Amino acid sequence: MARRSAVNVWCLGSRAVSLLYGSSLRPLHTSVCNASSKPKAGFRPEKVAVVTKTTRYEFEQQRYRYAGLSEEDLKQLLAMKGSSYSGLLERHNIHTNNVEHIVKSLRKEGIDVRVVKRGEYSEEVVRWANAIISAGGDGTMLLVASKVLSKDKPVVGVNTDPERSEGHLCLPVRYTCAFPEALDKLCRGEFRWLWRQRIRLHLEGTGINPTPVDLHEQQLSLEQHSQAHRITTMESQRRTGTLQESFIKPSLLPIRSLNEIFIGESLSSRVKLKSFNPHVNLLLHRASYYEISVDDGPWEKQKSSGLSICTGTGSKAWSYNINKLAEQAVEEVLKIGKSQAGLDIPLNREFIEKVTDKYNESLVFSPDDSRLFYSVREPIVNRVFSSSRQRGFASKVCVRSRCWDACMVVDGGTSFEFNDGAIATISTSEEDQLRTVVLEN
Amino acid sequence: MARRSAVNVWCLGSRAVSLLYGSSLRPLHTSVCNASSKPKAGFRPEKVAVVTKTTRYEFEQQRYRYAGLSEEDLKQLLAMKGSSYSGLLERHNIHTNNVEHIVKSLRKEGIDVRVVKRGEYSEEVVRWANAIISAGGDGTMLLVASKVLSKDKPVVGVNTDPERSEGHLCLPVRYTCAFPEALDKLCRGEFRWLWRQRIRLHLEGTGINPTPVDLHEQQLSLEQHSQAHRITTMESQRRTGTLQESFIKPSLLPIRSLNEIFIGESLSSRVKLKSFNPHVNLLLHRASYYEISVDDGPWEKQKSSGLSICTGTGSKAWSYNINKLAEQAVEEVLKIGKSQAGLDIPLNREFIEKVTDKYNESLVFSPDDSRLFYSVREPIVNRVFSSSRQRGFASKVCVRSRCWDACMVVDGGTSFEFNDGAIATISTSEEDQLRTVVLEN
């Protein structure tokens, strides 16, 4: 029974919010075709790695198995929360069947296939493969892309649960069940290459070795403890004379962003104040405080809910959702404008929809565009902080953190510490492109 | 030396983001006066508690003292991060002097004064006092208000660092150094009472005892561990027969919100996947997924960046920042509208400013209004999720969580677990008002 419970929309492969955001109802694929290039010959990889997502069913099983619950207990637990065990199992089976279909199709063509679970995917797999297929949703695509640093290794996304996943970065959904057709077109050169521009990150001035900090471990310890950890590191660096060095030299991080970099304060717990109810933790949501310089322009202090810097690919994801307007807001602006201008023009539903659509479409740009697009989320304007442009294009964006406990989040999935004093330089380079495939629908 | 480094803007008393957001440059106090009421006689409290904020200087001292650093080390550490030790000390002294001024003024009138640090503030202090003064910024005011559940106990906010703090919920800044004048007016009845409406929360259906979970402790353990903890609780409840009970009965929480309730997924760490660089934690930012019913209307599934439900007081805080538009966006909408309508009207800077101001002003309503205002932050519209109204007024809002690791954040400071299956009913009641003072400037 195909139960369309909204709960079953959970699709672990696309959990990265940068993907859940922003796939509008209007097809945006068409704008992409102009920017890609026709291959000189067919594409016939000998070795293909298929990277598969973890379904929610698998995830729930794993976590409750750890707690020692039986399958029957799992069913009841989910039922109590309003989730459906059979629904989850169904989505899981759909995904698994689609993966089998892909693998069979590949092997039938004599291609050497390695099926790799999300958790087993590594640089070694990337080196081994001539091409990589992401079998899941957009989240799986982001994961797959994150380990491909070369612009020559093709990555293809197949949406293994089209009913639940947007599959924005994947092939058109019809190829999910008709994969031999996709293979055939690849073979005959009836496709286009699309080199999606990605973002690179330089980090400096943190005062500590700019290795991405294990945020999980940081959350494991008290705020003071982690501070003490940092100080100990600094103390030892000072003694060995390496402190100044790590302070000065900008480090290129071994990571490329396909969608966006988001900078903001994390939710972090503070020292518990003893007079509070011990069960109620003082959890402060702070504004993000930083300085920003666009294209080597003057530094500007800003306070906001965070800063997003995206690629053309990412302009349809989280960035889109930060900037898009609802019809309700557009209608209000037009009403006020009409009133202020003393005009007597009708504002019918169709007109408002049209203006809203055009506004939102203007936020999207081509995946192979080498520019960055920065947006300030919920800027704070008061006596101290001003804001010139809330968003715009750039070749380079520098951000200096003035945050307590901030992080730089790459593609909604990987996080780097970005605290007071750290400087990030965000830019693009041609060698950072990701080679992907565009098939006609 | 008065160093106006932006870093010194850090004002720990107003860290709660719901306050840092939204104080526009235009005075909004005037709209408040119409809604308050003139006292029948002067106000002469015999016992006054003065609750003081923690300055950033004190905070830094405390945390580095824990790590064993000397004052000299502290200076160097801050300098390296671009902060200023002397600047922090200066702000600290300004605050302390202002507190002394307030306390002296009170005692001079023969009033019994208890000075209570933020961390020592308790229900016992509230019971003892006839009136409570918050000496800090807006964050301190929120804290003070959070323990006052009666609508009869007056709370007065004094902004002890006007240069750095917005003091939106505090008396006009001139009374900070001229507190005897304020006392005098209170004494002679030359003020107005303002009863600020607050929000109440009912929680049910969580499947576990709806005690606010110590999020700090939750972050201390692995995801599975905390899940196991919950399951153990459920197991024991099932055995003792109390499970169904906690599932059914809605609980009125012992907390009232002065600004807003914000519901959203927290940043939480997931199980580390072994093939990843152990330093890079997979930190997923997920969209918040829930169902919402406004004024007992039909349930609607939504996916967004979070849901804000605010009071009139809060309509100038975080909610304001979620909904306000930058001139850049308004200009773009008007340009497109003009083009679509085929009009030839000039869109000069003044016109755009005017429309932007009017739009943003429409987001603000009176603190003593009994209505709630809900806004969906960054709604996701795709094949599965639709969104009718992005914001609006209501008397009651019910939210059913479909989130993994969500929380309900009250006034940017207190957090409650709000996971899959939990139902929150958000409403107001006359008895939830907070009695505050309005003095003419």
Side-chain angles (χ1 to χ4, degrees):
Chain A
M1 173 183 72
R3 181 163 170 235
R4 281 187 169 273
S5 158
V7 171
N8 291 335
V9 174
W10 277 109
C11 181
L12 289 180
S14 60
R15 264 191 303 183
V17 101
S18 61
L19 297 162
L20 294 172
Y21 285 136
S23 210
S24 69
L25 294 167
R26 288 156 236 84
L28 292 164
H29 285 288
T30 47
S31 64
V32 152
C33 294
N34 304 331
S36 41
S37 64
K38 222 160 163 19
K40 296 192 174 66
F43 178 57
R44 283 217 54 145
E46 287 179 7
K47 299 181 285 182
V48 171
V50 177
V51 183
T52 64
K53 76 180 188 190
T54 308
T55 61
R56 187 178 173 200
Y57 171 79
E58 285 171 319
F59 184 86
E60 296 278 7
Q61 261 206 331
Q62 282 163 28
R63 75 171 174 172
Y64 290 116
R65 189 116 329 138
Y66 180 89
L69 287 191
S70 69
E71 201 80 358
E72 190 51 44
D73 287 330
L74 175 63
K75 264 193 196 177
Q76 282 204 38
L77 183 67
L78 292 171
M80 257 193 310
K81 297 201 297 176
S83 301
S84 158
Y85 173 86
S86 59
L88 293 188
L89 190 53
E90 187 188 346
R91 305 318 320 164
H92 171 79
N93 291 335
I94 285 170
H95 161 76
T96 319
N97 292 339
N98 284 330
V99 171
E100 252 188 71
H101 172 72
I102 292 165
V103 174
K104 277 202 175 112
S105 312
L106 291 165
R107 286 182 172 146
K108 199 169 171 201
E109 298 302 312
I111 295 169
D112 187 1
V113 183
R114 260 175 89 173
V115 182
V116 173
K117 277 191 178 305
R118 197 188 154 104
E120 301 155 354
Y121 179 54
S122 68
E123 284 87 6
E124 184 270 318
V125 172
V126 176
R127 279 194 300 272
W128 172 87
N130 300 133
I132 306 166
I133 290 178
S134 157
D138 293 326
T140 314
M141 259 302 270
L142 287 181
L143 167 76
V144 166
S146 72
K147 293 199 173 297
V148 178
L149 296 193
S150 147
K151 62 175 284 193
D152 298 318
K153 192 141 303 192
V155 177
V156 180
V158 182
N159 187 350
T160 58
D161 195 356
E163 275 184 33
R164 294 284 179 257
S165 181
E166 283 303 305
H168 183 67
L169 296 173
C170 303
L171 295 179
V173 298
R174 71 181 204 80
Y175 292 109
T176 298
C177 309
F179 196 67
E181 280 190 49
L183 274 183
D184 190 47
K185 289 188 171 177
L186 284 171
C187 186
R188 292 191 277 117
E190 280 174 30
F191 69 97
R192 287 181 180 276
W193 292 117
L194 172 64
W195 273 274
R196 293 178 181 271
Q197 183 65 62
R198 293 188 287 182
I199 287 170
R200 54 169 52 184
L201 269 176
H202 284 85
L203 210 55
E204 68 184 291
T206 57
I208 52 172
N209 201 338
T211 310
V213 171
D214 190 324
L215 227 60
H216 184 71
E217 259 172 67
Q218 188 179 348
Q219 286 171 338
L220 284 174
S221 55
L222 289 167
E223 146 101 17
Q224 297 147 324
H225 186 207
S226 70
Q227 282 298 333
H229 170 69
R230 269 184 233 151
I231 290 153
T232 310
T233 312
M234 291 176 70
E235 280 293 315
S236 74
Q237 282 177 331
R238 215 190 308 187
R239 269 179 249 119
T240 59
T242 53
L243 184 60
Q244 285 313 304
E245 217 185 306
S246 66
F247 210 83
I248 290 165
K249 207 169 45 181
S251 244
L252 173 62
L253 299 187
I255 200 160
R256 299 293 178 269
S257 165
L258 180 56
N259 269 349
E260 82 286 305
I261 306 285
F262 182 84
I263 292 168
E265 284 278 11
S266 14
L267 259 54
S268 60
S269 51
R270 289 275 156 218
V271 173
K272 265 193 296 187
L273 302 170
K274 51 187 183 328
S275 61
F276 270 72
N277 177 342
H279 288 290
V280 173
N281 185 47
L282 193 64
L283 192 77
L284 301 171
H285 289 235
R286 289 179 299 276
S288 306
Y289 172 33
Y290 53 86
E291 293 164 52
I292 180 175
S293 158
V294 175
D295 288 335
D296 293 315
W299 286 94
E300 185 181 287
K301 293 175 182 43
Q302 283 186 3
K303 212 162 201 168
S304 74
S305 211
L307 178 64
S308 156
I309 297 145
C310 76
T311 60
T313 300
S315 68
K316 299 171 198 135
W318 197 355
S319 173
Y320 182 77
N321 250 70
I322 284 171
N323 293 298
K324 85 179 198 293
L325 290 183
E327 277 182 33
Q328 189 180 356
V330 171
E331 177 172 17
E332 193 60 27
V333 170
L334 293 173
K335 272 186 180 165
I336 295 170
K338 167 178 143 169
S339 161
Q340 286 296 306
L343 293 167
D344 188 25
I345 45 166
L347 292 179
N348 59 41
R349 185 96 340 253
E350 201 189 317
F351 180 74
I352 292 161
E353 259 178 49
K354 193 108 203 229
V355 176
T356 305
D357 284 358
K358 278 213 165 303
Y359 180 92
N360 291 334
E361 277 159 22
S362 74
L363 302 168
V364 175
F365 62 108
S366 182
D368 75 341
D369 196 318
S370 60
R371 294 177 298 172
L372 302 168
F373 186 70
Y374 69 93
S375 349
V376 182
R377 188 194 200 197
E378 293 162 11
I380 294 169
V381 179
N382 56 30
R383 280 178 298 155
V384 184
F385 300 99
S386 70
S387 201
S388 45
R389 282 172 69 80
Q390 187 248 341
R391 59 180 197 258
F393 286 101
S395 303
K396 178 172 142 191
V397 177
C398 292
V399 188
R400 182 176 189 160
S401 173
R402 285 294 178 209
C403 298
W404 278 123
D405 257 315
C407 45
M408 212 161 24
V409 186
V410 178
D411 290 346
T414 310
S415 175
F416 292 83
E417 194 178 275
F418 190 59
N419 291 328
D420 197 17
I423 299 172
T425 301
I426 299 146
S427 59
T428 61
S429 171
E430 211 190 297
E431 59 197 80
D432 299 331
Q433 293 169 346
L434 179 77
R435 187 176 197 172
T436 63
V437 155
V438 176
L439 281 182
E440 298 303 320
N441 202 341
Chain B
M1 170 181 74
R3 179 162 172 239
R4 277 185 174 276
S5 158
V7 170
N8 293 335
V9 173
W10 277 109
C11 180
L12 288 179
S14 61
R15 263 191 303 182
V17 101
S18 62
L19 297 164
L20 295 172
Y21 285 135
S23 209
S24 70
L25 295 168
R26 290 156 234 85
L28 293 163
H29 285 286
T30 46
S31 63
V32 153
C33 295
N34 303 332
S36 41
S37 63
K38 232 180 157 358
K40 295 191 174 65
F43 178 59
R44 283 216 55 143
E46 286 179 7
K47 296 182 288 182
V48 172
V50 177
V51 182
T52 65
K53 77 179 186 189
T54 307
T55 61
R56 190 182 172 195
Y57 172 78
E58 285 171 318
F59 183 86
E60 295 278 6
Q61 262 206 330
Q62 282 162 30
R63 74 171 176 170
Y64 290 117
R65 189 111 334 134
Y66 180 91
L69 288 192
S70 68
E71 201 79 356
E72 189 53 43
D73 286 331
L74 175 63
K75 264 192 196 178
Q76 280 204 37
L77 184 67
L78 292 171
M80 259 191 316
K81 299 203 294 178
S83 301
S84 159
Y85 173 85
S86 58
L88 293 189
L89 190 52
E90 188 188 344
R91 305 319 318 165
H92 171 78
N93 290 336
I94 285 169
H95 161 75
T96 319
N97 291 339
N98 284 329
V99 172
E100 251 189 71
H101 172 69
I102 293 165
V103 175
K104 277 201 176 113
S105 312
L106 291 165
R107 284 182 174 148
K108 199 166 170 201
E109 299 301 313
I111 295 168
D112 187 1
V113 182
R114 262 175 87 173
V115 181
V116 172
K117 277 191 179 305
R118 194 188 157 104
E120 301 156 352
Y121 179 55
S122 67
E123 283 87 6
E124 183 270 318
V125 171
V126 175
R127 277 193 303 272
W128 172 86
N130 300 132
I132 306 165
I133 289 177
S134 156
D138 291 326
T140 315
M141 259 302 270
L142 286 182
L143 168 75
V144 167
S146 73
K147 293 199 173 295
V148 178
L149 296 193
S150 147
K151 62 175 282 195
D152 297 317
K153 192 142 302 191
V155 176
V156 180
V158 182
N159 187 349
T160 57
D161 194 357
E163 274 182 36
R164 295 283 180 259
S165 179
E166 283 302 305
H168 184 65
L169 296 175
C170 302
L171 296 179
V173 299
R174 72 179 205 81
Y175 293 109
T176 299
C177 310
F179 196 67
E181 282 189 48
L183 274 183
D184 190 48
K185 289 186 172 179
L186 283 172
C187 185
R188 292 190 278 118
E190 277 172 33
F191 69 96
R192 286 178 180 278
W193 291 117
L194 171 63
W195 272 274
R196 295 178 180 271
Q197 183 65 61
R198 293 188 287 181
I199 286 169
R200 59 170 47 186
L201 269 175
H202 284 86
L203 209 54
E204 69 184 289
T206 57
I208 52 171
N209 201 337
T211 310
V213 171
D214 189 326
L215 228 60
H216 184 71
E217 260 172 67
Q218 189 178 346
Q219 288 173 337
L220 284 174
S221 54
L222 289 168
E223 146 100 18
Q224 298 148 324
H225 187 209
S226 68
Q227 282 298 332
H229 170 70
R230 268 182 234 150
I231 291 153
T232 311
T233 312
M234 290 175 70
E235 279 295 314
S236 72
Q237 281 179 329
R238 215 189 307 187
R239 268 180 250 121
T240 59
T242 53
L243 183 60
Q244 286 314 301
E245 217 186 309
S246 67
F247 209 83
I248 290 165
K249 207 169 43 180
S251 244
L252 174 62
L253 299 187
I255 201 161
R256 300 292 179 267
S257 166
L258 180 56
N259 268 351
E260 80 286 306
I261 306 285
F262 182 82
I263 293 168
E265 286 276 9
S266 16
L267 259 54
S268 60
S269 52
R270 289 275 156 215
V271 174
K272 264 193 298 186
L273 301 171
K274 51 188 185 322
S275 61
F276 270 72
N277 178 343
H279 289 289
V280 172
N281 186 48
L282 194 63
L283 192 78
L284 302 171
H285 289 237
R286 287 178 300 274
S288 306
Y289 171 34
Y290 52 87
E291 293 163 51
I292 181 174
S293 157
V294 175
D295 288 336
D296 292 317
W299 285 94
E300 186 181 288
K301 294 177 182 45
Q302 284 185 1
K303 210 162 201 167
S304 73
S305 214
L307 178 64
S308 158
I309 297 144
C310 76
T311 60
T313 300
S315 68
K316 297 170 200 131
W318 197 355
S319 172
Y320 182 77
N321 250 69
I322 284 170
N323 293 297
K324 84 178 198 293
L325 289 183
E327 276 181 33
Q328 189 181 356
V330 170
E331 176 171 17
E332 193 59 28
V333 170
L334 293 173
K335 271 186 181 165
I336 294 170
K338 167 177 143 170
S339 160
Q340 285 298 305
L343 293 167
D344 188 26
I345 43 164
L347 291 179
N348 58 40
R349 184 98 337 255
E350 201 189 314
F351 179 74
I352 292 162
E353 260 178 49
K354 192 109 204 228
V355 176
T356 306
D357 284 358
K358 278 211 165 307
Y359 179 91
N360 292 334
E361 278 159 22
S362 74
L363 302 168
V364 176
F365 62 109
S366 181
D368 75 342
D369 196 317
S370 60
R371 292 176 301 173
L372 301 169
F373 185 69
Y374 69 93
S375 349
V376 181
R377 189 194 200 197
E378 294 162 12
I380 294 168
V381 178
N382 56 32
R383 283 177 295 153
V384 185
F385 300 98
S386 68
S387 200
S388 43
R389 281 172 69 80
Q390 188 245 340
R391 59 181 198 257
F393 287 102
S395 302
K396 178 171 142 192
V397 178
C398 292
V399 188
R400 181 176 190 162
S401 173
R402 285 297 177 207
C403 299
W404 279 123
D405 258 313
C407 45
M408 213 161 23
V409 186
V410 179
D411 290 345
T414 311
S415 175
F416 292 84
E417 195 179 275
F418 190 59
N419 292 327
D420 195 17
I423 299 173
T425 301
I426 298 146
S427 59
T428 61
S429 170
E430 211 190 296
E431 58 198 81
D432 299 331
Q433 292 169 346
L434 179 76
R435 186 178 196 170
T436 63
V437 155
V438 176
L439 282 183
E440 298 303 317
N441 201 342

